[in-house]
Amino acid sequence: MLGKTIPVPRLECIYGDAGCDYLYSNSVFLKPLTWTDNLANLRDRITALTGYKFRIVIGNQYRTGTDSIGWHADNEPSMGSNPAIASLSLGGVRKFQIKPRNGKPTDFWLEHGSLLVMHPGCQSTHLHQVPKTNKIVSTRINLTFRPHTGGER
Ligand SMILES: O=C(O)CCC(=O)C(=O)O
Ligand SMILES: [Fe+2]
């Protein structure tokens, strides 16, 4: 529901081009802050590396092992069809799992500085998550660079 605060088990923020508002799960509305120099620099370096253009970045902070993100696909219509998503991990190592819808998960241990790229099509065929863990883990920050179809250019 718009205007309602929904708790999520992690901290979130969004930066991006003006007007590139982001609505997910039909309930959470995020309005981007203006790109900082450091984030814009990272965005441009990742575009140079991957060839994909990005207009928003969503930041997640997993403070402890109880912070997480459940199984989902990033298929919000505002990103257009078949988005390419680049995911940069910083800080503590966490398990990232990806699976074909109804298939078996594959585990990746995303280390500080690793860049995971989900190519176009991935969001229609696969789901991904960062599960909770009982292990002691240090804080992790993840930045997902994404396209967006709206806003000002
Ligand atoms: O933290 C991660 O590695 C994944 C984050 C994610 O899936 C998302 O923000 O949609
Ligand atoms: Fe995701």
Side-chain angles (χ1 to χ4, degrees):
M1 273 153 283
L2 285 181
K4 201 170 167 201
T5 307
I6 309 230
V8 290
R10 59 190 178 277
L11 302 180
E12 284 189 337
C13 63
I14 181 169
Y15 290 78
D17 295 354
C20 290
D21 298 342
Y22 191 82
L23 177 71
Y24 74 87
S25 304
N26 243 341
S27 57
V28 182
F29 179 75
L30 302 172
K31 201 173 179 55
L33 299 168
T34 308
W35 291 102
T36 65
D37 288 348
N38 284 339
L39 285 174
N41 189 18
L42 278 174
R43 175 199 64 199
D44 294 345
R45 285 175 64 188
I46 295 171
T47 290
L49 206 63
T50 63
Y52 296 127
K53 292 215 167 88
F54 306 104
R55 303 198 50 219
I56 54 172
V57 57
I58 294 182
N60 285 312
Q61 183 179 358
Y62 303 86
R63 293 158 292 184
T64 66
T66 50
D67 276 357
S68 62
I69 189 164
W71 288 113
H72 68 283
D74 294 305
N75 52 9
E76 291 71 29
S78 60
M79 291 191 294
S81 57
N82 296 321
I85 298 178
S87 162
L88 177 65
S89 292
L90 301 167
V93 178
R94 289 290 294 265
K95 180 163 76 177
F96 174 92
Q97 298 182 294
I98 185 159
K99 65 174 185 180
R101 292 173 187 266
N102 303 320
K104 290 215 176 84
T106 302
D107 300 347
F108 291 93
W109 297 91
L110 298 183
E111 296 181 0
H112 176 78
S114 66
L115 183 71
L116 177 129
V117 180
M118 293 186 276
H119 292 282
C122 181
Q123 304 306 319
S124 355
T125 55
H126 287 66
L127 302 174
H128 57 276
Q129 74 165 351
V130 176
K132 295 184 193 303
T133 175
N134 290 327
K135 298 200 181 94
I136 306 282
V137 285
S138 42
T139 295
R140 168 171 181 265
I141 288 176
N142 176 260
L143 302 173
T144 48
F145 292 83
R146 304 161 184 245
H148 195 289
T149 55
E152 299 156 22
R153 289 191 190 251

